[in-house]
Structures are given as C-alpha cells and as structure tokens.
Amino acid sequence: TQLLEQSPQFLSIQEGENLTVYCNSSSVFSSLQWYRQEPGEGPVLLVTVVTGGEVKKLKRLTFQFGDARKDSSLHITAAQPGDTGLYLCAGEGQGGKLIFGQGTELSVKP
Amino acid sequence: GAVVSQHPSWVICKSGTSVKIECRSLDFQATTMFWYRQFPKQSLMLMATSNEGSKATYEQGVEKDKFLINHASLTLSTLTVTSAHPEDSSFYICSAPRTGGQPQHFGDGTRLSIL
C-alpha cells in the first residue's frame, strides 16, 4: 500500500517567517502534486513535479521532488496571512488514483 | 474558470433521507471520476472510483450499498448517500482527470449535514 506521510500537520507562524512542509513515502511516485485548500472549497493545484530532483518555484513557494521520487517538500519564504490554508501533497498511484498526505494546516498571523 | 462542477454545495437533511450529489466535467469528457470524503481539518480520503459504462470501484471499508455511484455519461457522475445518518455528515469532493491522466480537477465540494 502506498502511503504519504506529511509533516507537520499543524503550523502556526508569524508573518515574515519561513516554513517547510515535508511529504515522505517509502514508495516511488511517477508524479507528485501539491494543493492548497480553503475552507468549504475543493483543493486547488499549485504544482506538479515529475522528474527526480526537480525544483519548481511559484513566487514565494519552492517545491522540490526528491531524487528517488519518494519525497517532496514545499518551502514558503516570508509567509503572509494570505498563505493561510490547508496544504496537501498527493502522489499518483495505480489507476490514476491520488494518494493524499495528511495535510498541513498553516496559520500565518499578522 | 471551474472545469468540474459539483452540486449541491450544501445540504442539510433529516436522518434517513437519501441525498444525491452530482459531479460534472464542464469542458472535457471524463471516463473516470473520483469521489473523496473529508472530515474537518483532515485530508481527503478516496472513497471510490467512478467508471463510465461499468461499475464503480470502492476503496476498502467503503459500503457499496450505502454510497451508490452512477457514472451516467462521459460528463456526469453521481454519488447517492442512501438512508443518511449523522455519522455520514462530511465534506464530499469529486475530481476528474483530463484524458491522459493528471492533473485532476476538483469540484468545490458538497457539505452534507444530517440532523
């Protein structure tokens, strides 16, 4: 069974601080996606990483896929209150299913 | 704009009622759609894979007779929660991948509250 361990599950920081969210597995994934979800809404795709060692940047967000394609990280620089939300990593499993990590509830206080 | 539409967005009903939730792909055909359940502050849990023209595939522990799935066309899948009880209250989300796999597009979810 493919599992994704996401940490931390809760993170409360002050505006301007940096943070990193980790997503780890013992399984290899062909691709891994990061989503952000607001309360009462569906997840919104932030990025998809496909190649081992790949690094993608989206403004203040930096996403990295591990060389072995078993782990990934999301780094946010100078967090802002608008970054508050639930961040989810998801790996593509068999049959196109997405296997989600536990999620990281991020709160950025002004 | 949204590429997957989910309806209704919010339902409140009495215990014992059956509730139908629709998931539509708006500008593409989806032979496969996925249904998820999400509890507050938690991640998405895959319930079942909806397949156009064949039976849905349910994840372990999900009751097939409780959560009926019908993939009526290439753009519509429905999830019916039969004889709903308070423990079925949750946020239900569907997703559909475009042809070729990822990424999946998610609906905005349905908040189901059973009194």
mmCIF file of all heavy atoms in Angstrom, chain B residues 2-40:
data_model
loop_
_atom_site.group_PDB
_atom_site.id
_atom_site.type_symbol
_atom_site.label_atom_id
_atom_site.label_comp_id
_atom_site.label_asym_id
_atom_site.label_seq_id
_atom_site.Cartn_x
_atom_site.Cartn_y
_atom_site.Cartn_z
ATOM 1 N N ALA B 2 -14.035 27.242 -13.460
ATOM 2 C CA ALA B 2 -14.134 25.873 -12.975
ATOM 3 C C ALA B 2 -14.264 24.918 -14.144
ATOM 4 O O ALA B 2 -14.960 25.203 -15.128
ATOM 5 C CB ALA B 2 -15.327 25.739 -12.048
ATOM 6 N N VAL B 3 -13.605 23.792 -14.052
ATOM 7 C CA VAL B 3 -13.725 22.777 -15.091
ATOM 8 C C VAL B 3 -14.508 21.575 -14.587
ATOM 9 O O VAL B 3 -14.891 20.719 -15.374
ATOM 10 C CB VAL B 3 -12.342 22.350 -15.608
ATOM 11 C CG1 VAL B 3 -11.670 23.517 -16.306
ATOM 12 C CG2 VAL B 3 -11.482 21.845 -14.476
ATOM 13 N N VAL B 4 -14.684 21.490 -13.266
ATOM 14 C CA VAL B 4 -15.504 20.447 -12.664
ATOM 15 C C VAL B 4 -16.524 21.136 -11.754
ATOM 16 O O VAL B 4 -16.159 21.916 -10.884
ATOM 17 C CB VAL B 4 -14.669 19.440 -11.852
ATOM 18 C CG1 VAL B 4 -15.588 18.483 -11.093
ATOM 19 C CG2 VAL B 4 -13.746 18.662 -12.770
ATOM 20 N N SER B 5 -17.780 20.830 -12.001
ATOM 21 C CA SER B 5 -18.856 21.442 -11.231
ATOM 22 C C SER B 5 -19.499 20.412 -10.321
ATOM 23 O O SER B 5 -19.792 19.291 -10.762
ATOM 24 C CB SER B 5 -19.910 22.012 -12.186
ATOM 25 O OG SER B 5 -21.047 22.476 -11.464
ATOM 26 N N GLN B 6 -19.702 20.770 -9.074
ATOM 27 C CA GLN B 6 -20.307 19.852 -8.121
ATOM 28 C C GLN B 6 -21.560 20.515 -7.546
ATOM 29 O O GLN B 6 -21.561 21.698 -7.209
ATOM 30 C CB GLN B 6 -19.304 19.531 -7.000
ATOM 31 C CG GLN B 6 -19.658 18.339 -6.163
ATOM 32 C CD GLN B 6 -18.527 17.924 -5.236
ATOM 33 O OE1 GLN B 6 -17.364 18.154 -5.503
ATOM 34 N NE2 GLN B 6 -18.898 17.294 -4.126
ATOM 35 N N HIS B 7 -22.617 19.706 -7.427
ATOM 36 C CA HIS B 7 -23.890 20.263 -6.970
ATOM 37 C C HIS B 7 -24.662 19.244 -6.148
ATOM 38 O O HIS B 7 -24.678 18.057 -6.497
ATOM 39 C CB HIS B 7 -24.735 20.667 -8.198
ATOM 40 C CG HIS B 7 -26.075 21.207 -7.858
ATOM 41 N ND1 HIS B 7 -26.276 22.513 -7.440
ATOM 42 C CD2 HIS B 7 -27.291 20.621 -7.831
ATOM 43 C CE1 HIS B 7 -27.543 22.694 -7.196
ATOM 44 N NE2 HIS B 7 -28.192 21.574 -7.426
ATOM 45 N N PRO B 8 -25.292 19.612 -5.051
ATOM 46 C CA PRO B 8 -25.308 20.957 -4.476
ATOM 47 C C PRO B 8 -24.041 21.219 -3.678
ATOM 48 O O PRO B 8 -23.257 20.306 -3.444
ATOM 49 C CB PRO B 8 -26.535 20.900 -3.564
ATOM 50 C CG PRO B 8 -26.582 19.480 -3.101
ATOM 51 C CD PRO B 8 -26.108 18.660 -4.273
ATOM 52 N N SER B 9 -23.864 22.451 -3.272
ATOM 53 C CA SER B 9 -22.681 22.786 -2.493
ATOM 54 C C SER B 9 -22.930 22.570 -1.002
ATOM 55 O O SER B 9 -21.976 22.438 -0.225
ATOM 56 C CB SER B 9 -22.281 24.241 -2.746
ATOM 57 O OG SER B 9 -23.356 25.118 -2.447
ATOM 58 N N TRP B 10 -24.218 22.514 -0.636
ATOM 59 C CA TRP B 10 -24.531 22.405 0.789
ATOM 60 C C TRP B 10 -25.897 21.739 0.944
ATOM 61 O O TRP B 10 -26.854 22.135 0.274
ATOM 62 C CB TRP B 10 -24.551 23.812 1.381
ATOM 63 C CG TRP B 10 -24.683 23.893 2.850
ATOM 64 C CD1 TRP B 10 -24.094 23.126 3.790
ATOM 65 C CD2 TRP B 10 -25.480 24.860 3.558
ATOM 66 N NE1 TRP B 10 -24.452 23.542 5.044
ATOM 67 C CE2 TRP B 10 -25.304 24.599 4.932
ATOM 68 C CE3 TRP B 10 -26.318 25.907 3.174
ATOM 69 C CZ2 TRP B 10 -25.927 25.350 5.921
ATOM 70 C CZ3 TRP B 10 -26.936 26.662 4.152
ATOM 71 C CH2 TRP B 10 -26.740 26.367 5.505
ATOM 72 N N VAL B 11 -25.961 20.727 1.783
ATOM 73 C CA VAL B 11 -27.208 20.025 2.014
ATOM 74 C C VAL B 11 -27.400 19.793 3.514
ATOM 75 O O VAL B 11 -26.477 19.316 4.178
ATOM 76 C CB VAL B 11 -27.239 18.656 1.304
ATOM 77 C CG1 VAL B 11 -28.559 17.949 1.565
ATOM 78 C CG2 VAL B 11 -27.001 18.807 -0.183
ATOM 79 N N ILE B 12 -28.595 20.105 3.983
ATOM 80 C CA ILE B 12 -28.977 19.754 5.350
ATOM 81 C C ILE B 12 -30.255 18.946 5.242
ATOM 82 O O ILE B 12 -31.208 19.385 4.604
ATOM 83 C CB ILE B 12 -29.239 20.993 6.220
ATOM 84 C CG1 ILE B 12 -27.978 21.858 6.312
ATOM 85 C CG2 ILE B 12 -29.673 20.581 7.623
ATOM 86 C CD1 ILE B 12 -28.192 23.137 7.096
ATOM 87 N N CYS B 13 -30.262 17.769 5.830
ATOM 88 C CA CYS B 13 -31.479 16.969 5.758
ATOM 89 C C CYS B 13 -31.616 16.082 6.998
ATOM 90 O O CYS B 13 -30.685 15.967 7.796
ATOM 91 C CB CYS B 13 -31.503 16.125 4.486
ATOM 92 S SG CYS B 13 -30.103 15.036 4.315
ATOM 93 N N LYS B 14 -32.777 15.498 7.102
ATOM 94 C CA LYS B 14 -33.083 14.669 8.273
ATOM 95 C C LYS B 14 -32.482 13.277 8.115
ATOM 96 O O LYS B 14 -32.290 12.779 6.999
ATOM 97 C CB LYS B 14 -34.585 14.539 8.454
ATOM 98 C CG LYS B 14 -35.281 15.848 8.818
ATOM 99 C CD LYS B 14 -36.771 15.615 9.006
ATOM 100 C CE LYS B 14 -37.482 16.909 9.400
ATOM 101 N NZ LYS B 14 -38.941 16.710 9.582
ATOM 102 N N SER B 15 -32.228 12.651 9.224
ATOM 103 C CA SER B 15 -31.711 11.288 9.229
ATOM 104 C C SER B 15 -32.678 10.358 8.504
ATOM 105 O O SER B 15 -33.893 10.471 8.662
ATOM 106 C CB SER B 15 -31.524 10.836 10.688
ATOM 107 O OG SER B 15 -30.950 9.567 10.737
ATOM 108 N N GLY B 16 -32.138 9.478 7.688
ATOM 109 C CA GLY B 16 -32.956 8.542 6.934
ATOM 110 C C GLY B 16 -33.190 8.958 5.491
ATOM 111 O O GLY B 16 -33.619 8.159 4.660
ATOM 112 N N THR B 17 -32.885 10.192 5.190
ATOM 113 C CA THR B 17 -33.049 10.718 3.831
ATOM 114 C C THR B 17 -31.906 10.238 2.944
ATOM 115 O O THR B 17 -30.775 10.070 3.417
ATOM 116 C CB THR B 17 -33.054 12.248 3.861
ATOM 117 O OG1 THR B 17 -34.039 12.709 4.784
ATOM 118 C CG2 THR B 17 -33.342 12.820 2.483
ATOM 119 N N SER B 18 -32.193 10.047 1.671
ATOM 120 C CA SER B 18 -31.136 9.768 0.696
ATOM 121 C C SER B 18 -30.781 11.057 -0.028
ATOM 122 O O SER B 18 -31.663 11.832 -0.390
ATOM 123 C CB SER B 18 -31.594 8.712 -0.302
ATOM 124 O OG SER B 18 -31.724 7.458 0.340
ATOM 125 N N VAL B 19 -29.515 11.266 -0.233
ATOM 126 C CA VAL B 19 -29.025 12.517 -0.815
ATOM 127 C C VAL B 19 -28.183 12.216 -2.049
ATOM 128 O O VAL B 19 -27.273 11.382 -1.991
ATOM 129 C CB VAL B 19 -28.160 13.296 0.194
ATOM 130 C CG1 VAL B 19 -27.628 14.575 -0.432
ATOM 131 C CG2 VAL B 19 -28.956 13.590 1.466
ATOM 132 N N LYS B 20 -28.464 12.909 -3.136
ATOM 133 C CA LYS B 20 -27.705 12.715 -4.375
ATOM 134 C C LYS B 20 -26.823 13.916 -4.625
ATOM 135 O O LYS B 20 -27.269 15.061 -4.582
ATOM 136 C CB LYS B 20 -28.643 12.522 -5.564
ATOM 137 C CG LYS B 20 -27.894 12.300 -6.890
ATOM 138 C CD LYS B 20 -28.828 12.193 -8.080
ATOM 139 C CE LYS B 20 -29.523 10.870 -8.132
ATOM 140 N NZ LYS B 20 -30.299 10.698 -9.386
ATOM 141 N N ILE B 21 -25.561 13.653 -4.942
ATOM 142 C CA ILE B 21 -24.586 14.704 -5.254
ATOM 143 C C ILE B 21 -24.110 14.485 -6.687
ATOM 144 O O ILE B 21 -23.769 13.366 -7.071
ATOM 145 C CB ILE B 21 -23.377 14.643 -4.299
ATOM 146 C CG1 ILE B 21 -23.847 14.768 -2.841
ATOM 147 C CG2 ILE B 21 -22.389 15.750 -4.629
ATOM 148 C CD1 ILE B 21 -22.759 14.483 -1.828
ATOM 149 N N GLU B 22 -24.081 15.553 -7.475
ATOM 150 C CA GLU B 22 -23.670 15.455 -8.869
ATOM 151 C C GLU B 22 -22.278 16.041 -9.081
ATOM 152 O O GLU B 22 -21.912 17.034 -8.461
ATOM 153 C CB GLU B 22 -24.652 16.211 -9.770
ATOM 154 C CG GLU B 22 -26.039 15.623 -9.825
ATOM 155 C CD GLU B 22 -26.916 16.341 -10.831
ATOM 156 O OE1 GLU B 22 -26.534 17.429 -11.293
ATOM 157 O OE2 GLU B 22 -28.003 15.804 -11.145
ATOM 158 N N CYS B 23 -21.559 15.424 -9.987
ATOM 159 C CA CYS B 23 -20.234 15.915 -10.362
ATOM 160 C C CYS B 23 -20.173 15.942 -11.882
ATOM 161 O O CYS B 23 -20.358 14.906 -12.534
ATOM 162 C CB CYS B 23 -19.159 14.986 -9.807
ATOM 163 S SG CYS B 23 -17.462 15.497 -10.167
ATOM 164 N N ARG B 24 -19.928 17.123 -12.451
ATOM 165 C CA ARG B 24 -19.904 17.279 -13.900
ATOM 166 C C ARG B 24 -18.577 17.838 -14.373
ATOM 167 O O ARG B 24 -18.055 18.787 -13.790
ATOM 168 C CB ARG B 24 -21.007 18.236 -14.360
ATOM 169 C CG ARG B 24 -22.418 17.743 -14.140
ATOM 170 C CD ARG B 24 -23.458 18.752 -14.629
ATOM 171 N NE ARG B 24 -24.805 18.294 -14.322
ATOM 172 C CZ ARG B 24 -25.517 17.529 -15.114
ATOM 173 N NH1 ARG B 24 -25.012 17.106 -16.269
ATOM 174 N NH2 ARG B 24 -26.736 17.167 -14.767
ATOM 175 N N SER B 25 -18.062 17.252 -15.437
ATOM 176 C CA SER B 25 -16.907 17.848 -16.100
ATOM 177 C C SER B 25 -17.463 18.799 -17.150
ATOM 178 O O SER B 25 -18.323 18.430 -17.948
ATOM 179 C CB SER B 25 -16.027 16.768 -16.739
ATOM 180 O OG SER B 25 -16.767 15.972 -17.636
ATOM 181 N N LEU B 26 -16.991 20.038 -17.145
ATOM 182 C CA LEU B 26 -17.648 21.079 -17.934
ATOM 183 C C LEU B 26 -17.146 21.201 -19.367
ATOM 184 O O LEU B 26 -17.913 21.512 -20.262
ATOM 185 C CB LEU B 26 -17.503 22.425 -17.224
ATOM 186 C CG LEU B 26 -18.148 22.505 -15.844
ATOM 187 C CD1 LEU B 26 -17.978 23.886 -15.249
ATOM 188 C CD2 LEU B 26 -19.629 22.124 -15.916
ATOM 189 N N ASP B 27 -15.880 21.010 -19.608
ATOM 190 C CA ASP B 27 -15.376 21.203 -20.969
ATOM 191 C C ASP B 27 -14.520 20.048 -21.446
ATOM 192 O O ASP B 27 -13.740 20.192 -22.391
ATOM 193 C CB ASP B 27 -14.597 22.522 -21.062
ATOM 194 C CG ASP B 27 -13.364 22.522 -20.178
ATOM 195 O OD1 ASP B 27 -13.188 21.571 -19.392
ATOM 196 O OD2 ASP B 27 -12.575 23.472 -20.279
ATOM 197 N N PHE B 28 -14.686 18.907 -20.801
ATOM 198 C CA PHE B 28 -13.958 17.726 -21.262
ATOM 199 C C PHE B 28 -14.738 16.484 -20.838
ATOM 200 O O PHE B 28 -15.600 16.541 -19.966
ATOM 201 C CB PHE B 28 -12.540 17.691 -20.682
ATOM 202 C CG PHE B 28 -12.469 17.536 -19.177
ATOM 203 C CD1 PHE B 28 -12.232 16.289 -18.601
ATOM 204 C CD2 PHE B 28 -12.641 18.626 -18.341
ATOM 205 C CE1 PHE B 28 -12.163 16.145 -17.220
ATOM 206 C CE2 PHE B 28 -12.574 18.489 -16.957
ATOM 207 C CZ PHE B 28 -12.343 17.249 -16.400
ATOM 208 N N GLN B 29 -14.437 15.396 -21.485
ATOM 209 C CA GLN B 29 -15.083 14.133 -21.155
ATOM 210 C C GLN B 29 -14.221 13.372 -20.153
ATOM 211 O O GLN B 29 -12.998 13.344 -20.268
ATOM 212 C CB GLN B 29 -15.291 13.296 -22.418
ATOM 213 C CG GLN B 29 -16.273 13.930 -23.394
ATOM 214 C CD GLN B 29 -16.495 13.076 -24.632
ATOM 215 O OE1 GLN B 29 -15.637 12.303 -25.015
ATOM 216 N NE2 GLN B 29 -17.655 13.213 -25.241
ATOM 217 N N ALA B 30 -14.882 12.787 -19.183
ATOM 218 C CA ALA B 30 -14.175 12.081 -18.118
ATOM 219 C C ALA B 30 -14.707 10.658 -18.010
ATOM 220 O O ALA B 30 -15.818 10.445 -17.527
ATOM 221 C CB ALA B 30 -14.341 12.818 -16.797
ATOM 222 N N THR B 31 -13.932 9.711 -18.463
ATOM 223 C CA THR B 31 -14.350 8.319 -18.331
ATOM 224 C C THR B 31 -14.187 7.843 -16.898
ATOM 225 O O THR B 31 -14.787 6.851 -16.488
ATOM 226 C CB THR B 31 -13.521 7.409 -19.250
ATOM 227 O OG1 THR B 31 -12.131 7.597 -18.952
ATOM 228 C CG2 THR B 31 -13.761 7.760 -20.710
ATOM 229 N N THR B 32 -13.393 8.546 -16.152
ATOM 230 C CA THR B 32 -13.169 8.209 -14.742
ATOM 231 C C THR B 32 -13.348 9.455 -13.892
ATOM 232 O O THR B 32 -12.891 10.539 -14.259
ATOM 233 C CB THR B 32 -11.741 7.658 -14.536
ATOM 234 O OG1 THR B 32 -11.565 6.490 -15.332
ATOM 235 C CG2 THR B 32 -11.508 7.301 -13.070
ATOM 236 N N MET B 33 -14.012 9.296 -12.775
ATOM 237 C CA MET B 33 -14.117 10.359 -11.781
ATOM 238 C C MET B 33 -13.864 9.729 -10.417
ATOM 239 O O MET B 33 -14.047 8.523 -10.233
ATOM 240 C CB MET B 33 -15.482 11.031 -11.815
ATOM 241 C CG MET B 33 -15.741 11.842 -13.076
ATOM 242 S SD MET B 33 -17.315 12.723 -12.981
ATOM 243 C CE MET B 33 -17.307 13.608 -14.540
ATOM 244 N N PHE B 34 -13.428 10.531 -9.494
ATOM 245 C CA PHE B 34 -13.113 10.035 -8.153
ATOM 246 C C PHE B 34 -13.962 10.761 -7.122
ATOM 247 O O PHE B 34 -14.207 11.965 -7.237
ATOM 248 C CB PHE B 34 -11.624 10.250 -7.837
ATOM 249 C CG PHE B 34 -10.700 9.535 -8.779
ATOM 250 C CD1 PHE B 34 -10.179 10.171 -9.899
ATOM 251 C CD2 PHE B 34 -10.347 8.213 -8.552
ATOM 252 C CE1 PHE B 34 -9.325 9.513 -10.768
ATOM 253 C CE2 PHE B 34 -9.498 7.544 -9.419
ATOM 254 C CZ PHE B 34 -8.987 8.199 -10.534
ATOM 255 N N TRP B 35 -14.358 10.034 -6.112
ATOM 256 C CA TRP B 35 -15.120 10.615 -5.002
ATOM 257 C C TRP B 35 -14.320 10.506 -3.715
ATOM 258 O O TRP B 35 -13.809 9.435 -3.368
ATOM 259 C CB TRP B 35 -16.464 9.900 -4.847
ATOM 260 C CG TRP B 35 -17.437 10.245 -5.929
ATOM 261 C CD1 TRP B 35 -17.687 9.554 -7.070
ATOM 262 C CD2 TRP B 35 -18.281 11.405 -5.962
ATOM 263 N NE1 TRP B 35 -18.636 10.203 -7.816
ATOM 264 C CE2 TRP B 35 -19.021 11.339 -7.165
ATOM 265 C CE3 TRP B 35 -18.496 12.486 -5.105
ATOM 266 C CZ2 TRP B 35 -19.947 12.318 -7.532
ATOM 267 C CZ3 TRP B 35 -19.414 13.452 -5.464
ATOM 268 C CH2 TRP B 35 -20.130 13.365 -6.665
ATOM 269 N N TYR B 36 -14.245 11.642 -3.001
ATOM 270 C CA TYR B 36 -13.495 11.717 -1.756
ATOM 271 C C TYR B 36 -14.403 12.175 -0.628
ATOM 272 O O TYR B 36 -15.409 12.857 -0.834
ATOM 273 C CB TYR B 36 -12.336 12.714 -1.866
ATOM 274 C CG TYR B 36 -11.297 12.388 -2.913
ATOM 275 C CD1 TYR B 36 -11.477 12.755 -4.237
ATOM 276 C CD2 TYR B 36 -10.123 11.736 -2.566
ATOM 277 C CE1 TYR B 36 -10.521 12.469 -5.199
ATOM 278 C CE2 TYR B 36 -9.151 11.449 -3.518
ATOM 279 C CZ TYR B 36 -9.364 11.831 -4.831
ATOM 280 O OH TYR B 36 -8.404 11.550 -5.772
ATOM 281 N N ARG B 37 -13.977 11.846 0.567
ATOM 282 C CA ARG B 37 -14.648 12.321 1.770
ATOM 283 C C ARG B 37 -13.596 13.018 2.618
ATOM 284 O O ARG B 37 -12.451 12.553 2.708
ATOM 285 C CB ARG B 37 -15.253 11.131 2.513
ATOM 286 C CG ARG B 37 -16.057 11.496 3.735
ATOM 287 C CD ARG B 37 -16.748 10.259 4.279
ATOM 288 N NE ARG B 37 -17.549 10.592 5.448
ATOM 289 C CZ ARG B 37 -18.331 9.735 6.083
ATOM 290 N NH1 ARG B 37 -18.431 8.479 5.673
ATOM 291 N NH2 ARG B 37 -19.025 10.121 7.140
ATOM 292 N N GLN B 38 -14.003 14.117 3.235
ATOM 293 C CA GLN B 38 -13.043 14.875 4.033
ATOM 294 C C GLN B 38 -13.696 15.341 5.324
ATOM 295 O O GLN B 38 -14.731 16.014 5.296
ATOM 296 C CB GLN B 38 -12.531 16.082 3.246
ATOM 297 C CG GLN B 38 -11.447 16.868 3.955
ATOM 298 C CD GLN B 38 -10.937 18.025 3.115
ATOM 299 O OE1 GLN B 38 -11.679 18.600 2.323
ATOM 300 N NE2 GLN B 38 -9.652 18.369 3.285
ATOM 301 N N PHE B 39 -13.090 14.999 6.446
ATOM 302 C CA PHE B 39 -13.541 15.476 7.742
ATOM 303 C C PHE B 39 -12.798 16.764 8.079
ATOM 304 O O PHE B 39 -11.722 17.016 7.536
ATOM 305 C CB PHE B 39 -13.331 14.406 8.820
ATOM 306 C CG PHE B 39 -14.220 13.215 8.639
ATOM 307 C CD1 PHE B 39 -13.728 12.015 8.135
ATOM 308 C CD2 PHE B 39 -15.575 13.285 8.957
ATOM 309 C CE1 PHE B 39 -14.548 10.919 7.956
ATOM 310 C CE2 PHE B 39 -16.406 12.186 8.783
ATOM 311 C CZ PHE B 39 -15.889 11.008 8.268
ATOM 312 N N PRO B 40 -13.357 17.583 8.975
ATOM 313 C CA PRO B 40 -12.740 18.882 9.299
ATOM 314 C C PRO B 40 -11.277 18.756 9.686
ATOM 315 O O PRO B 40 -10.905 17.882 10.462
ATOM 316 C CB PRO B 40 -13.594 19.384 10.466
ATOM 317 C CG PRO B 40 -14.924 18.747 10.255
ATOM 318 C CD PRO B 40 -14.624 17.389 9.696
#
